[in-house]
Structures are given as C-alpha cells and as structure tokens.
Amino acid sequence: GTGSSILSALQDLFWLLKSKVEKQLQIISVLQWVLTFLVMGIACTLILMYILCTDCWAIAALYLAWLVFDWNTPKKGGRRSQWVRNWAIWRYFRDYFPIRLVKTHNLLTTRNYIFGYHPHGIMGLGAFCNFSTEATGVSQKFPGIRPYLATLAGNFRMPILRDYLMSGGICPVNRDSIDYILSKNGSGNAIIIVVGGAAESLNCTPGKNSVTLRNRKGFVKLALRHGADLVPVYSFGENEVYQQVIFEEGSWGRWVQKKFQKHIGFAPCIFHGRGLFSSNTWGLLPYSKPITTVVGEPITIPRIDNPSQKDVDFYHSIYVDALIKLFDKYKSKFGLPETEVLEVN
C-alpha cells in the first residue's frame, strides 16, 4: 500500500510539472510572436546597420546583396517552408488560447480562392495561426489548397523579417502579389485578406462583433478579375484577447491614428493584455481566450476582365449576406447569445 501511494504521488507530481512546463512553453511561443509582430523588423534593421560598422561588415554586405537580388520574391508567391510551418512552437502557440479551425465545406483544387478574414483584432492572431502554420491542420482540412496570408507590403522591406514571414506562406497585400498568385501560380491557391485592415483594428474591443466592410470592395474586384471564388471567414474570439483604449471620432487620439493609417499603412493602437508572470497584471501577452475560426461556404465568382461597378456591388452584397449568415449560424455554438448581431460598417 505504501509503495503504490508513493508511486501515485510521483505520477501526480510528474503530471503537475509537465503541465507547468507546457504552460511556460505556450507563453514563450506567444511572446516570441508578439515581439516579432511589434519590433522584429526595426530590430533587425538596426542590427544590420550596426554590423556594417564592425569588422563583420562583410556578412551584412553579403546579405544586402542577396536582398537586392531577392527583392521581388515576395511578389511572386514568396518562399514558404513546410519545416517552419510545422514547428512545434506553433502547436504551443495554438494551445495557449486555444485556437481552432472549423471547416464547413470542401474546396476544389481546380479553383482559386480569396478568403475574407474577419475581424482584424489587434494582431490577427487567429489568421496567423490557422493559415501561416500547420498548427490547426489547414493542409489536412483543405487538402491541395495552398494558403497565403496577405499582410502589409512594408513588412517585406524589413531585412530578416521578410524571410521569416515568407517561410510561413505570408505575402504582401498588394495587387502585384495577388495577381501573380491567382494568375501565374496554377490553381488551388487561397489568399487570406484581412479585409477590415487597420481601420477595423481601431474599433476592436472585447464583447464587440463589428467588421469594416461596407466600403471595402477591392477584394471583390480582384476576385472578379481572376474568377477566384470568395470565401467568408469569421473568427469568434479574435476581439477578446486584448483590451484597447478606443478614441472617439473627432478626438485628437483618433486623428493621430488615422494620420498614421493614411501615410504608413497601419494605425497605432493603445492596448494591453496580461503580464508575463501573472494574468492579473498588464502586459503585452494576449489573454488566453479561445479563438475559433470558421471557414464558410465558397461563393462562385465568374471571371470578368473589366468588372463594372455594378458587378462589384452585386457580388459584394452577396458576400456581406454570406458573412452575416455564417456569423448567425455559428454564434451560439461559440459562446454568443442568439440575440447578438454582427455590426457591418
């Protein structure tokens, strides 16, 4: 009896230690991504400039020469790495929240797709985990489909960061890049565009389900030009992982944010999550709230080389209706009341 009690106690201790280690690994995995999102580009640029002023300048010079040679690669589908997409760190990243990908319909490998991802949130954590890594099994759930998460083109002007992003299948959200993937890269491609962008991030706050979409029609025009099917995607919980200070329209804070958005492409948000060592303190780590990304039914889009505004408006209205229906169908399954309404701005 004494021996079995000791063995049972040791097993309990082992599982407790294992649980604590896994939790710490989850925190580390999320922290490295947050730092990548916020400072990696600037940090790598400064480090490269510093190395140029040291005895190791040749290393930096060689990289810069490579950078010039490789400059247009992001516009041509990038350089994804299945090894990077399958890193174990992304599974810890997934389990921290946790993040889940829900498939509702099959996608044909003979077609190309544009996924409209909603909402943006502060950092688009669900978009990254689901489509730039294999942590939630996107390749198994959509076999034969190559996902490309589109983000700010400015990120690909940053040394090292550009290569890190491309390894996950991330591409610039500009016309050249999207045109190449949808017209010169065969079929079975899915470009994920966070449609609301920086403007939507300014209004994200826990408990609010709101998307910036009414006047966002460029992605529909691209879909028509290439005959790429549109797929509405909604991430329940994306707005729950950070607290943000919301500036009212007309305030000085909102004026500054809009100026940044107009001239630089992103809007500086004042936000906070939890602390590194305690969930009761403020910090940069997101709160561990579940994020569930639901991929809806594809909308068949005809190919029209020069779509009229009437064509764009027609398919845009179909897309908006499909997104609302997707939200209404799944909201109660993921913790929202039946009375919750998706606000489309």
Side-chain angles (χ1 to χ4, degrees), residues 36-53:
T36 296
F37 182 90
L38 295 176
V39 301
M40 183 177 178
I42 295 173
C44 288
T45 301
L46 293 175
I47 291 171
L48 195 66
M49 292 172 62
Y50 171 75
I51 293 174
L52 280 171
C53 301

Side-chain angles (χ1 to χ4, degrees), residues 140-155:
Q140 287 73 44
K141 290 177 180 176
F142 300 102
I145 301 297
R146 292 181 297 276
Y148 294 86
L149 177 60
T151 188
L152 289 175
N155 290 324

Side-chain angles (χ1 to χ4, degrees), residues 260-285:
F260 266 84
Q261 178 188 338
K262 180 180 179 180
H263 297 292
I264 301 178
F266 75 93
C269 301
I270 299 178
F271 65 92
H272 73 83
R274 53 156 290 182
L276 182 60
F277 301 107
S278 171
S279 59
N280 296 320
T281 59
W282 287 9
L284 290 177
L285 280 177

Side-chain angles (χ1 to χ4, degrees), residues 58-120:
I59 297 174
L62 284 172
Y63 178 80
L64 289 173
W66 161 253
L67 193 63
V68 172
F69 175 78
D70 195 55
W71 191 254
N72 289 322
T73 298
K75 299 178 183 178
K76 297 180 179 180
R79 186 171 48 246
R80 74 175 55 217
S81 166
Q82 287 301 117
W83 175 65
V84 174
R85 287 176 61 89
N86 281 285
W87 278 352
I89 196 172
W90 306 132
R91 295 193 290 276
Y92 289 113
F93 183 98
R94 171 199 66 196
D95 293 340
Y96 172 85
F97 296 93
I99 296 173
R100 179 187 174 201
L101 180 65
V102 176
K103 169 186 174 180
T104 63
H105 292 79
N106 292 324
L107 299 180
L108 300 175
T109 58
T110 55
R111 300 284 293 174
N112 284 324
Y113 301 90
I114 293 179
F115 287 18
Y117 184 92
H118 313 270
H120 184 286

Side-chain angles (χ1 to χ4, degrees), residues 149-153 156 171-178 191-194 222:
L149 177 60
T151 188
L152 289 175
F156 296 89
C171 68
V173 62
N174 58 33
R175 180 169 172 175
D176 289 343
S177 176
I178 295 172
I191 297 179
I192 297 88
I193 300 176
V194 186
L222 281 169

